Amino acid sequence: MNKLWAPWRISYIKKIKKEKGCLFCRARLKKNGRKHHVFLRTRTSLAMLNIYPYNNGHIMVAPMRHVASLERLS
């Protein structure tokens, strides 16, 4: 399979207000994690739910530091 196709998500995509910047950085900087679906924060990372997961239990984990590549993380 070359493309992942989920046409039922198009209505959600079209109504999203386009925001500049990284969604993980926005979630990191906000005090209200629930609005950004953040359910866990540590000193070095955060974990958040995906609104439309591809499978049950799908979460996204991101570092607190924004870097260009994984090799730059400690």
Side-chain angles (χ1 to χ4, degrees):
M1 178 169 42
N2 292 332
K3 295 181 182 178
L4 183 58
W5 178 243
W8 56 91
R9 292 180 171 90
I10 197 68
S11 62
Y12 169 73
I13 292 168
K14 285 183 176 181
K15 74 179 180 180
I16 293 176
K17 182 178 86 173
K18 302 287 186 212
E19 296 184 48
K20 291 184 179 182
C22 170
L23 74 103
F24 298 110
C25 288
R26 283 195 308 272
R28 175 180 56 90
L29 296 172
K30 300 294 182 181
K31 297 278 187 211
N32 183 0
R34 181 169 275 204
K35 180 180 176 188
H36 293 275
H37 312 290
V38 175
F39 66 90
L40 178 69
R41 291 178 191 263
T42 70
R43 188 175 58 77
T44 58
S45 63
L46 63 86
M48 59 195 297
L49 298 173
N50 188 340
I51 295 173
Y52 290 108
Y54 287 100
N55 59 14
N56 292 335
H58 179 240
I59 61 171
M60 298 182 288
V61 179
M64 288 294 204
R65 279 194 315 138
H66 189 120
V67 295
S69 68
L70 291 175
E71 293 81 21
R72 299 196 64 198
L73 292 171
S74 55

